[in-house]
Amino acid sequence: MVAKHIIFKGRVQGVGFRYGSYRIASGYEVTGYVRNLPDKTVEMQIQGSASDIDRCLAEIQDYFSGHIRDCQINTTPINPRHIDFRITY
């Protein structure tokens, strides 16, 4: 099990990014959250198997390819409080 912290940059707010990411993540065995940040980026914390995370992120990046300009991905410690994947505010 691994955990990743991602910041998506570009036109990622106001285009259904959180809901779309939530819908895509629901198809994988991952936990964590996605939320908008005040600087117009979107933050995601995601944890699960490395392959599920990689496939989930690839699908999100493909689905929103016209909106994502850049994303920063860092490995973080597992957070046992994340028991599902959700949209947070």
Side-chain angles (χ1 to χ4, degrees), residues 2 4 6 8 17-34 44-65 68 71 73 85-86:
V2 297
K4 302 284 183 178
I6 303 106
F8 294 97
F17 193 92
R18 287 177 301 160
Y19 179 75
S21 296
Y22 167 78
R23 183 186 55 76
I24 291 167
S26 295
Y28 298 91
E29 291 197 29
V30 297
T31 61
Y33 64 86
V34 62
M44 178 182 286
Q45 181 71 32
I46 188 169
Q47 55 192 39
S49 72
S51 62
D52 272 347
I53 290 173
D54 289 346
R55 289 186 312 218
C56 180
L57 291 178
E59 190 172 341
I60 289 169
Q61 289 175 324
D62 183 56
Y63 188 81
F64 290 104
S65 64
I68 299 171
C71 68
I73 303 173
F85 193 87
R86 61 182 60 187

